[in-house]
Amino acid sequence: MSFPELFETLLKQRGISPKESTAFLNPDYSKLHDPLLLPDMKKARDRVIAAIKNSEKITIFSDYDADGIPGAVVLSDFFRRAGYENVSFYIPHRHDEGFGLNIEAVEECAEKGTKLMITVDCGTADVEEVSRANELGIDVIITDHHEASVMPEALAVVNPKRAGSKYPFKELCGAAIAFKLVQAILEKEKSASWRIGIKEGMEKWSLDMVGIATLSDMVPLIGENRILAKFGLDVLRKSPRPGLAALFNTLNLDRKTLTEDDIVFMITPRINAASRMGVPHDAFKLLSTDDAAEAQILAAHLEKINNERKGVVAAMVKDAKKHLASQENLPGVIVIGNPEWRPSLAGLVASALVEKYERPAFVWARDGEGVLKGSCRSYNGYDLFGLMEKTKDSFIEFGGHAGAGGFSVTLEKLPELEERLSEALGSLSCEEISEKSGFSISL
């Protein structure tokens, strides 16, 4: 297929070759890759099936953002359709517990009888927490897309970015990998004598959640992500979820003409506001409820707390800009924070500073236990995870991907962090400046 010269130039600027252009412009659902190509997927699939057969207690432990929460809903959909009720959902408190698994949560799940834990959009870096789960007799299946230098000894680590992965596409979001797990289980059911009982094709109704997550999580909209975003939007426009209907009504959105901008600028902030303001389960309940009246109450609640969040973030950004305005020369990487700020809002401040000052930004705050934690956002395609790897001895821990990440740091290391990151940024080679920037390609 031939295109006008200007159109071909635009495609080329987005890294799309002439050979790839047709698939890019006409996403085909049948072109999704086999989920069994993902690392450890067979082990994960078989363990979930065994847990259902044996009526074991399953806990879904998801991240608290607009990738992890929709991903948890994908698994909620699956278990509900399977008629399996011995499952619970754990979403950590962003301020008090932070990102990923934590020992206290693992021990709490064990006390409640959990035998299988499935993570969504987290877990790859949680070596000690997975080890503790193993000690307590909990098998852990990690479904994640974040990078980590050391893998935990989980039963399965389903992550396309792990070392040795042969999966053809590395840039799936967390919810998409949870969806792949569901696909793998249902594909196995076709040839199994024991059946879960879900009608073929029903899992596609969960693509609304995968679409939200894909558009929300700053993954590049190419390859499988483009397919999932396209068909996710198709399902969103006709989704029967009461929570989505209530949210669309509250925001005065016409679902028939829903676009990716509606998701990213209207839906995503409301989902994220729940965790940023300390009530992540409210977003999960909104997206998973079957009760229209409850959905309307929850949608109004999320709108209220999102407005509160806007006011707090505006004050933080104003404070940060005032401080930066007093500096004669800004470094290559901005590092700024305040012990009075909330870590849950640091990412929003970082995004605002990136937009204003056109350079990566690391924003820190202090959590409920006095630990300095923060979020970072990239600019111009710099690979943040690679940048933090180059300065890893400056952090207590860190994680994320090319466009965004999180970190914790000691008070002693904080004064040198800006200088070290800026030096490391200047030493990045062309190969280490990722093409996977945090800016999406429009559908």
Side-chain angles (χ1 to χ4, degrees):
M1 184 180 294
S2 61
F3 302 101
E5 184 178 350
L6 177 60
F7 201 67
E8 289 183 348
T9 300
L10 289 172
L11 290 171
K12 185 177 180 180
Q13 287 179 342
R14 286 158 173 77
I16 309 301
S17 69
K19 186 178 179 180
E20 299 168 324
S21 60
T22 300
F24 179 80
L25 295 169
N26 299 283
D28 183 347
Y29 189 79
S30 68
K31 300 299 184 183
L32 289 176
H33 301 304
D34 182 351
L36 293 183
L37 295 175
L38 282 161
D40 287 350
M41 181 59 90
K42 287 184 180 179
K43 288 196 290 185
R45 172 201 67 187
D46 292 345
R47 183 64 184 89
V48 175
I49 292 173
I52 294 173
K53 282 184 178 180
N54 298 323
S55 299
E56 295 178 79
K57 172 73 173 180
I58 300 173
T59 296
I60 310 302
F61 190 107
S62 79
D63 189 21
Y64 39 60
D65 67 0
D67 183 6
I69 290 175
V73 177
V74 168
L75 293 182
S76 174
D77 291 345
F78 166 73
F79 287 113
R80 186 181 70 252
R81 290 173 184 137
Y84 193 76
E85 297 181 354
N86 197 13
V87 58
S88 61
F89 295 83
Y90 193 109
I91 306 173
H93 190 286
R94 192 168 193 154
H95 182 69
D96 295 339
E97 297 178 85
F99 175 75
L101 295 170
N102 63 82
I103 297 294
E104 292 77 11
V106 170
E107 292 175 344
E108 179 183 327
C109 290
E111 289 175 4
K112 294 181 178 179
T114 297
K115 296 301 179 185
L116 174 63
M117 179 179 288
I118 305 172
T119 75
V120 180
D121 192 33
C122 62
T124 299
D126 297 327
V127 175
E128 293 181 10
E129 292 80 2
V130 171
S131 177
R132 181 59 177 150
N134 292 337
E135 292 173 358
L136 295 170
I138 300 175
D139 286 337
V140 180
I141 294 172
I142 291 170
T143 69
D144 194 9
H145 70 129
H146 293 95
E147 300 183 59
S149 53
V150 180
M151 290 290 114
E153 294 184 0
L155 174 78
V157 181
V158 185
N159 186 333
K161 291 180 181 174
R162 62 178 287 187
S165 171
K166 296 180 180 178
Y167 194 73
F169 187 71
K170 308 297 184 186
E171 302 306 320
L172 292 172
C173 69
I177 297 169
F179 181 74
K180 289 281 184 177
L181 175 59
V182 172
Q183 283 185 312
I185 295 169
L186 296 179
E187 188 63 30
K188 172 77 170 180
E189 187 181 27
K190 291 180 182 178
S191 59
S193 57
W194 183 85
R195 296 186 177 277
I196 294 172
I198 297 177
K199 185 179 178 181
E200 186 173 348
M202 285 298 293
E203 77 281 359
K204 292 179 182 178
W205 283 107
S206 295
L207 285 168
D208 55 355
M209 295 295 102
V210 182
I212 287 175
T214 299
L215 292 167
S216 299
D217 208 48
M218 294 195 295
V219 291
L221 294 184
I222 57 176
E224 280 194 301
N225 285 341
R226 196 164 182 84
I227 298 171
L228 294 169
K230 192 272 182 190
F231 287 94
L233 278 169
D234 286 349
V235 175
L236 276 162
R237 293 179 184 124
K238 53 189 176 185
S239 174
R241 295 184 196 273
L244 286 176
L247 202 52
F248 294 152
N249 289 337
T250 299
L251 301 176
N252 199 28
L253 291 176
D254 182 356
R255 69 162 60 207
K256 294 179 182 178
T257 59
L258 199 69
T259 68
E260 70 273 20
D261 283 349
D262 293 327
I263 301 303
V264 173
F265 295 110
M266 301 294 282
I267 304 299
T268 302
R270 272 83 186 165
I271 296 173
N272 283 332
S275 67
R276 296 186 195 282
M277 303 303 282
V279 286
H281 266 281
D282 289 352
F284 174 77
K285 286 191 292 185
L286 173 69
L287 296 175
S288 60
T289 185
D290 288 326
D291 187 322
E294 180 185 37
Q296 198 59 53
I297 293 170
L298 287 167
H301 173 56
L302 289 193
E303 179 65 7
K304 179 176 180 292
I305 62 176
N306 186 56
N307 288 331
E308 292 173 359
R309 185 270 309 167
K310 287 179 182 178
V312 176
V313 171
M316 291 169 65
V317 171
K318 183 179 180 181
D319 189 15
K321 288 180 178 179
K322 181 179 179 181
H323 177 80
L324 292 171
S326 66
Q327 299 184 24
E328 288 189 15
N329 298 302
L330 289 179
V333 177
I334 292 172
V335 176
I336 193 168
N338 188 318
E340 300 302 317
W341 292 352
R342 300 184 190 182
S344 59
L345 301 176
L348 297 174
V349 177
S351 294
L353 297 181
V354 168
E355 182 178 358
K356 169 70 175 177
Y357 299 103
E358 299 183 339
R359 63 201 68 207
F362 284 66
V363 177
W364 59 269
R366 185 167 55 191
D367 72 7
E369 297 180 353
V371 178
L372 302 184
K373 290 185 176 181
S375 294
C376 49
R377 296 293 183 267
S378 185
Y379 173 74
N380 201 30
Y382 288 110
D383 186 339
L384 281 183
F385 186 82
L387 185 63
M388 289 188 282
E389 273 282 342
K390 285 181 173 290
T391 55
K392 59 185 177 183
D393 57 335
S394 293
F395 300 100
I396 300 172
E397 58 183 359
F398 64 88
H401 46 80
F407 64 92
S408 60
V409 63
T410 64
L411 187 60
E412 291 74 24
K413 293 284 187 180
L414 188 59
E416 66 181 34
L417 186 59
E418 187 171 76
E419 182 178 355
R420 293 205 62 200
L421 286 169
S422 296
E423 288 177 357
L425 186 78
S427 70
L428 285 180
S429 66
C430 292
E431 290 77 16
E432 291 171 306
I433 298 176
S434 171
E435 294 180 2
K436 307 184 294 293
S437 75
F439 302 97
S440 300
I441 300 169
S442 294
L443 284 164

